Amino acid sequence: MAKSSRVLALDIGAASIKLAEFAYGPGNSITLLSFDYREYGEELTEGTRGFVITSVLSDMLAAGDYGSKKALVSISGQYALTRFVPLPPVAEEESRVRQIVEFEARQNVPFPMEEVVWDYQLISNPGADELEVMFVVIKNEIVEEITTSIQNAGLEPVLVDVAPAAAYNAARANSIGDDGCAMLLNLGDRSTNLLFADEQQFFARTIPIAGHSISQQIGKEFSMDFENAEELKRRHGFVALGGAYAEPESEVAASVSKIVRNVMTRLHGEINRSIGVYRAQQKGNKPTKLYLTGGSSTMGFTDRFFEDKLGIPVTYFNPFQCVQMGPGIDTGRLQNVAHMFSEVVGLGLRFRGQCAVEVSLMPQTIVRQIALRRKKPYLLASVACVLLMMAVAWLAFARKDAVYSDRARKSINTKERLESTRKTIERTMSRVTAARSEYTFLESFLAEREKLPLVFNTIESLKPADLWLKSVKPISETQAAGAGSTARPADGGGESLFNVGGFEPQGSPGVATQEIGVEKITIAGFILEGESLTLKPEDLARLNPPVPETDGTEAAPAPSPSVTLLPAELFQQRLKDHPLFKKDGTAFVTYTTVSGIKNLKQFQLRVILETPIDIAFE
């Protein structure tokens, strides 16, 4: 903690606000600089709570000279739900402990955990095998309403604690419970907090019996409203001792004292039950002393009443024993209200350093605001750096823009020149493509034209000596596909296959049917028309010697001299065996004897090429 740092501690009670400003010096010393105490003047309700707190707190700040805006806040125990739950020994990470505690909290809280602010504190118990955990739960809307009221008064909440925990920290700082079990009874307006300080062990219980209960009972007995009953309690309220003690002369005071005693007797019953629970469940020691604190603890004979009932010494708790008094402190006035400042001192101790119980009930909205404020200088520095970098970047971009603009102008000029060159190249490439296409066409044309002489030469080389051709007519692929029958040469009239194959020699001379604009015809084969002699078998070997072997481009091997085929049949066989022609596509179309000449045959022989010939025309 920085030297001479200051902080405000606020105890937002059910009926009043207690305020003190502390300064922190070297050696963790804490000094009280100023203090104040104000009652609300009206009963707090859900509709008026925020406005009343802001109004009273603003008046307190305006009346005093406070140098700090940071506020530590304690909220009344009546708004909080406090539970002590035993846990098995846990040697795990803190997240696992929090999961177990959260599970226990969910079992005991009557509303969703998303609607509350909660925290927990592990309590060591050297005499037990189990761990003890205290969890505190407050509804979000209550914490946010109180913290918002404090912010509206111009302060900055940095810690939110609960009254029982703050009072216990003040008790431990003043050595209460160091030598045995001691109880701290904080009698407030709406609730009473009973604390057990037992060396390292801690237990607390909030009892809904306090000063407000006494005022209600007085109003009921005297048939008056709450304000008048509260005033009557303040003027005549004390605890009747009963027994041998004489009653006061005033009948009103006597009645009020009996009412107070009845309420205190109920409170004593709750204290006895709490002691029983503490000793049985928490394995705690028997209390040996009771300390009184809180606004309702100052009614006459309260200390004597509990001393008689509990059978242990009872004294008032002065929380300022561990605090140094600053200059200008009115000690007389402080002595009159010191018993109400235990929570305030406990808050101040939280800001100084480590305390026995440390729970934080800050709402997430405030936590985020604090985190943002802490980061604000770094954010501002980051923004300044970003702005500086943006300025430098802008200057650099401005220079680059000038350079790039000049280059862009040059690039545009270059682009225009290149565009003109590109168009010229495209026109040239178009002419080159046209020339290449023309060259390819001519090359293909010439290659196809060379195939016809080869075919004609082959047919001529395969023709027997006693056979001659009168015509060679080309046929198309359609005509070749339709001619599926063959004819065996025979003497006498043979049946014509023209109509079977769909070929009409009287039409176009064997070329594929073309339409106007077609630049290519495909020749699939030929119709060979010719005549041949009919010779005796013994003359065939002499007239048809074997054809010598070639490289496959002229003639196929002829049959042996023993073959007795007629010239036309021999011609057909040679054509079938040659690789230029399809074997199953070579067949006679007609084969008949010439009228009037016995030894002369006339024929039409169809041959189909293995590879059709395309002849293109420009």
Side-chain angles (χ1 to χ4, degrees), residues 264-303:
M264 288 296 183
T265 301
R266 289 166 46 204
L267 178 59
H268 167 254
E270 293 295 328
I271 293 173
N272 276 338
R273 277 191 287 273
S274 300
I275 294 174
V277 170
Y278 174 68
R279 299 199 63 188
Q281 296 182 4
Q282 312 303 125
K283 311 301 180 183
N285 297 315
K286 181 180 179 181
T288 59
K289 193 170 185 178
L290 176 66
Y291 292 86
L292 295 178
T293 183
S296 297
S297 66
T298 56
M299 285 187 297
F301 304 116
T302 299
D303 53 345

Side-chain angles (χ1 to χ4, degrees), residues 246-435:
E247 293 185 355
E249 296 180 358
S250 170
E251 293 184 2
V252 173
S255 298
V256 169
S257 66
K258 291 178 181 179
I259 293 172
V260 173
R261 181 180 178 85
N262 290 335
V263 174
M264 288 296 183
T265 301
R266 289 166 46 204
L267 178 59
H268 167 254
E270 293 295 328
I271 293 173
N272 276 338
R273 277 191 287 273
S274 300
I275 294 174
V277 170
Y278 174 68
R279 299 199 63 188
Q281 296 182 4
Q282 312 303 125
K283 311 301 180 183
N285 297 315
K286 181 180 179 181
T288 59
K289 193 170 185 178
L290 176 66
Y291 292 86
L292 295 178
T293 183
S296 297
S297 66
T298 56
M299 285 187 297
F301 304 116
T302 299
D303 53 345
R304 184 177 296 183
F305 171 82
F306 284 111
E307 192 171 84
D308 291 343
K309 290 291 185 179
L310 297 173
I312 57 176
V314 177
T315 186
Y316 281 91
F317 174 48
N318 178 15
F320 290 101
Q321 298 177 73
C322 62
V323 178
Q324 299 178 8
M325 296 295 108
I329 293 296
D330 186 349
T331 55
R333 177 170 174 262
L334 178 62
Q335 187 175 0
N336 293 331
V337 296
H339 60 281
M340 295 188 293
F341 275 74
S342 57
E343 292 90 349
V344 175
V345 173
L347 287 173
L349 296 172
R350 282 288 302 273
F351 195 72
R352 181 190 66 179
Q354 188 74 24
C355 290
V357 176
E358 294 190 338
V359 292
S360 177
L361 300 172
M362 287 284 286
Q364 287 301 312
T365 55
I366 305 297
V367 172
R368 286 192 289 268
Q369 291 176 8
I370 294 175
L372 182 60
R373 280 193 293 269
R374 290 176 178 174
K375 295 177 181 178
K376 190 174 181 179
Y378 302 101
L379 292 175
L380 293 176
S382 299
V383 170
C385 291
V386 170
L387 293 176
L388 179 60
M389 289 188 293
M390 290 178 62
V392 173
W394 182 82
L395 293 176
F397 289 154
R399 295 187 61 183
K400 286 184 178 181
D401 181 65
V403 174
Y404 291 161
S405 298
D406 182 62
R407 291 182 179 178
R409 287 191 295 269
K410 294 179 180 179
S411 298
I412 291 173
N413 296 333
T414 303
K415 179 183 177 182
E416 292 176 352
R417 293 195 301 270
L418 293 176
E419 185 68 21
S420 176
T421 304
R422 184 185 64 80
K423 292 180 179 179
T424 302
I425 292 173
E426 287 180 350
R427 289 193 295 269
T428 303
M429 289 298 297
S430 177
R431 292 195 294 269
V432 169
T433 302

Side-chain angles (χ1 to χ4, degrees), residues 88-100 120 122 131:
V90 179
E92 304 178 34
E93 65 275 9
E94 184 178 350
S95 61
R96 175 61 178 161
V97 176
R98 186 174 180 86
Q99 290 178 359
I100 298 174
Y120 73 94
L122 289 177
L131 289 175

